[in-house]
Amino acid sequence: MARNLFWFRQDLRLEDNVGLWHATQHNEECVALVIISPEQWKHHHDAPSKIFFYLRQLQEIQEDLKHLNIPLIIKTIQSWSNVPKYITSLCKKLEIEDIYANVELATNEKHRDDQVKEALSKYKKNIHLFEDRTLFPTQSIRNKSGEAYKVFTAFKKTCYERLSISIPRAYPSPSKQKSIVIKDIENESLNDLISQFEYDTSNSAFKIEVGEKTAQDKLKDFVKSKMNNYDQTRDIPNTDGTSQLSPYLNIGIISVRQCLEEVLKDNDYIFSIQSKGQQTWIDELLWREFYQHVMVDFPHICKHLPFKKEMQKIQWRNSEEDLKKWQTGQTGIPIVDAGMRQLQQTGWMHNRVRMICAMFLSKNLLIDWRLGEKWFMQHLLDGDLAANNGGWQWSASTGTDAVPYFRIFNPVTQSQRFDPQGEYIRTWVPELKQLDHKQIHAPKEHIENYPRPIVDLKSSRARALAAFKNI
Ligand SMILES: Cc1cc2nc3c(=O)[nH]c(=O)nc-3n(C[C@H](O)[C@H](O)[C@H](O)COP(=O)(O)OP(=O)(O)OC[C@H]3O[C@@H](n4cnc5c(N)ncnc54)[C@H](O)[C@@H]3O)c2cc1C
């Protein structure tokens, strides 16, 4: 009787889960495992709301797994250095035949898996790892010289060529296993972990709905009623023009293959572009893909280093005070403050505003982008090392295919262009509610309880240009 172990990570779904599908193919016995690592979460600066979301989704998974006769073991292990020992002893106790999991792409995770592999090999056991997080296996999209792409447009072109040959399809549902009772194995209670959660969960970031069905419904609704206008609405922060699927994609409640399938299902899963909106959305999925691939090919970005190593030389300003004002939405630049407050209150920020806030910190305030990257990670429900790092390094002009250092967004002009009526600002900065659509982007007079701008946009721009020009 073969008994397999499936180890959940950032792939909290049953449908189209490559590793889980493989683990359940023998229709025999399967046990699932998830390792909770609070120390690791701290090390990665994961937002409490994201951790809470993860734990609540695990509750769903645990229930859903019961229908497949797969028990879920929950184990807290603070440090990953203790994981190999735990896995080997669990495999011995449960008489596990094979271990299955989906690859995690960041360096610490890879190192952990190498150590698990080595420990298991002593007992002649193997861990089967599958690529599940991206449309194409990492390191498989190469230029003609066989090298990794550093520029998105060229990467995208190759992806389009690959898609026109065949679409990566979603895997079928896992099959029901033989019933199994596991004894004498310590198992923690998710209810206890959730009820003892050490953070205040009253904020709306903690209320996001979990569940594969929720994510699927959101996807279907977006594709049906919003996607075709996405090219027009995606940059307007006050409209509900984007899918808001990022928290679900990030912890794997939904897969990128499922997203692409939904987009192409009315076209018999043949890759052909039907509208500008559809193309723009696929391009965004490919930006996600690009940053995941970049992280594997250029792992130094996981170690707090700029993609362009010469950018290490930039002399960042050290200003705790300005950093704090940026973090708390008190810069006196309304669009920046609106974005930073939206982030704190909801765990999410609109992409256009993420770019504006990131550029304001790294250029106008000339504060190290890594401090902004950390703050975003500490608050984002969708915090993802590859996408967050990619977005920050793009904005700070230190990354792959980054914005040229001399193209500095003027936050006021951006605000006038993308929030012309000031509705987004009014939602998040109520102190400015009474101002009209001309005044609201850059109030001329002092407004009660609202600060004056902490920097002059023109001179701070010149300061940034000088700092970057020297490199
Ligand atoms: C400074 C900065 C930090 C960011 N940090 C993150 C992060 O931690 N996690 C994260 O998922 N995204 C991040 N992004 C990218 C982007 O802002 C979000 O993915 C997007 O706002 C999520 O909203 P949505 O799901 O409605 O996206 P949609 O517009 O509906 O796009 C669909 C999906 O495509 C992917 N995507 C879209 N835009 C990008 C992009 N520019 N880069 C990578 N993937 C993209 C996301 O998975 C998204 O869910 C960051 C961008 C910037 C500029």
Side-chain angles (χ1 to χ4, degrees):
M1 171 73 63
R3 181 180 287 176
N4 292 331
L5 179 76
F6 178 70
W7 178 2
F8 278 102
R9 288 112 174 253
Q10 300 299 309
D11 48 5
L12 299 190
R13 66 183 181 285
L14 303 192
E15 296 296 320
D16 186 33
N17 182 323
V18 183
L20 178 63
W21 184 81
H22 281 282
T24 52
Q25 278 318 286
H26 309 290
N27 295 346
E28 297 206 342
E29 289 179 354
C30 186
V31 178
L33 165 73
V34 68
I35 293 176
I36 309 279
S37 304
E39 277 305 313
Q40 209 61 42
W41 286 336
K42 272 193 196 138
H43 184 71
H44 287 161
H45 309 299
D46 284 319
S49 56
K50 186 175 108 178
I51 297 169
F52 199 61
F53 183 47
Y54 188 92
L55 294 175
R56 289 190 298 126
Q57 173 62 13
L58 270 180
Q59 278 184 315
E60 294 268 320
I61 289 274
Q62 192 167 39
E63 282 309 304
D64 294 345
L65 283 171
K66 282 183 189 158
H67 302 295
L68 298 177
N69 289 330
I70 302 177
L72 175 66
I73 298 173
I74 293 131
K75 173 74 182 165
T76 299
I77 302 180
Q78 293 292 344
S79 159
W80 281 354
S81 56
N82 298 325
V83 169
K85 195 166 154 225
Y86 172 74
I87 300 254
T88 43
S89 83
L90 183 72
C91 288
K92 267 196 267 169
K93 274 191 203 154
L94 289 177
E95 298 175 13
I96 295 291
E97 199 78 32
D98 282 296
I99 299 108
Y100 292 79
N102 292 313
V103 180
E104 287 190 281
L105 303 173
T107 45
N108 282 353
E109 284 74 358
K110 285 194 162 176
H111 180 64
R112 176 202 60 200
D113 287 352
D114 287 344
Q115 292 193 317
V116 169
K117 214 172 198 155
E118 197 184 318
L120 285 169
S121 69
K122 291 187 191 133
Y123 301 94
K124 308 231 169 344
K125 299 268 173 238
N126 195 6
I127 174 164
H128 306 279
L129 291 169
F130 298 87
E131 292 235 15
D132 170 82
R133 197 165 174 80
T134 48
L135 286 170
F136 305 106
T138 52
Q139 300 186 306
S140 72
I141 304 290
R142 293 295 189 236
N143 66 19
K144 292 212 165 68
S145 319
E147 292 157 350
Y149 284 107
K150 295 181 187 166
V151 175
F152 174 69
T153 332
F155 173 87
K156 182 180 98 171
K157 191 164 169 261
T158 302
C159 291
Y160 267 51
E161 281 161 17
R162 296 272 294 269
L163 291 172
S164 65
I165 298 167
S166 77
I167 298 295
R169 296 297 302 271
Y171 273 64
S173 306
S175 45
K176 197 165 180 166
Q177 303 296 291
K178 293 213 167 102
S179 175
I180 168 177
V181 179
I182 51 168
K183 288 190 211 132
D184 304 327
I185 298 287
E186 187 201 338
N187 202 358
E188 292 166 43
S189 144
L190 281 167
N191 283 344
D192 288 352
L193 286 171
I194 287 170
S195 63
Q196 290 155 16
F197 197 67
E198 56 179 326
Y199 297 91
D200 172 17
T201 56
S202 56
N203 175 318
S204 74
F206 292 87
K207 311 268 187 284
I208 178 171
E209 228 180 300
V210 293
E212 282 181 67
K213 186 171 179 311
T214 306
Q216 291 297 336
D217 289 348
K218 265 180 179 286
L219 170 66
K220 287 192 177 97
D221 176 54
F222 172 77
V223 170
K224 193 166 159 232
S225 49
K226 297 182 192 152
M227 186 183 70
N228 287 331
N229 293 325
Y230 178 74
D231 54 317
Q232 326 245 327
T233 52
R234 63 185 283 256
D235 266 327
I236 314 294
N238 206 45
T239 54
D240 190 14
T242 69
S243 69
Q244 305 232 355
L245 281 170
S246 52
Y248 298 88
L249 275 162
N250 184 40
I251 62 167
I253 302 179
I254 197 167
S255 79
V256 65
R257 291 175 297 276
Q258 291 172 320
C259 291
L260 192 65
E261 276 204 345
E262 186 62 31
V263 173
L264 299 174
K265 80 172 183 207
D266 287 344
N267 202 36
D268 292 332
Y269 306 105
I270 293 164
F271 187 68
S272 103
I273 299 297
Q274 307 289 322
S275 72
K276 190 90 202 327
Q278 182 205 42
Q279 176 173 7
T280 314
W281 201 61
I282 294 176
D283 286 355
E284 291 311 308
L285 295 178
L286 291 177
W287 268 108
R288 174 184 177 277
E289 184 87 7
F290 178 57
Y291 286 138
Q292 304 281 335
H293 286 237
V294 165
M295 185 167 70
V296 173
D297 286 315
F298 305 98
H300 66 275
I301 62 155
C302 300
K303 297 187 177 140
H304 311 293
L305 290 171
F307 177 84
K308 294 180 191 152
K309 291 191 180 140
E310 68 276 16
M311 292 299 185
Q312 275 282 76
K313 294 190 202 132
I314 292 178
Q315 296 291 312
W316 301 106
R317 274 177 70 239
N318 207 342
S319 171
E320 280 289 328
E321 197 188 333
D322 285 357
L323 177 64
K324 183 113 203 127
K325 287 180 176 158
W326 175 82
Q327 290 171 337
T328 51
Q330 295 290 340
T331 67
I333 306 290
I335 189 83
V336 173
D337 295 339
M340 298 307 293
R341 295 182 195 189
Q342 180 181 31
L343 174 64
Q344 264 200 322
Q345 289 172 39
T346 67
W348 191 81
M349 194 199 293
H350 189 278
N351 180 59
R352 170 63 46 186
V353 191
R354 290 188 205 204
M355 293 194 285
I356 298 171
C357 291
M359 208 177 273
F360 181 75
L361 183 82
S362 57
K363 302 284 173 58
N364 295 94
L365 296 182
L366 201 61
I367 289 180
D368 194 334
W369 57 272
R370 285 166 282 213
L371 296 172
E373 181 195 22
K374 179 174 162 192
W375 182 259
F376 267 33
M377 215 49 203
Q378 286 169 330
H379 292 85
L380 280 171
L381 262 168
D382 65 21
D384 167 70
L385 175 57
N388 194 37
N389 185 280
W392 271 96
Q393 296 224 44
W394 183 89
S395 310
S397 307
T398 61
T400 63
D401 209 3
V403 64
Y405 78 88
F406 46 83
R407 257 195 62 207
I408 300 179
F409 286 180
N410 177 322
V412 173
T413 320
Q414 290 278 314
S415 181
Q416 287 160 339
R417 183 162 164 211
F418 297 109
D419 185 30
Q421 298 306 316
E423 288 159 5
Y424 177 73
I425 295 176
R426 274 185 211 100
T427 308
W428 300 106
V429 190
E431 303 94 293
L432 304 180
K433 233 177 178 151
Q434 75 283 9
L435 297 184
D436 68 22
H437 72 282
K438 284 192 179 136
Q439 280 287 316
I440 198 160
H441 306 284
K444 286 210 172 61
E445 280 146 33
H446 175 70
I447 308 288
E448 207 181 329
N449 297 329
Y450 189 69
R452 298 298 298 154
I454 60 170
V455 278
D456 171 61
L457 293 178
K458 206 167 160 199
S459 58
S460 60
R461 180 178 190 276
R463 179 175 64 186
L465 288 178
F468 277 78
K469 207 171 177 180
N470 288 336
I471 307 294

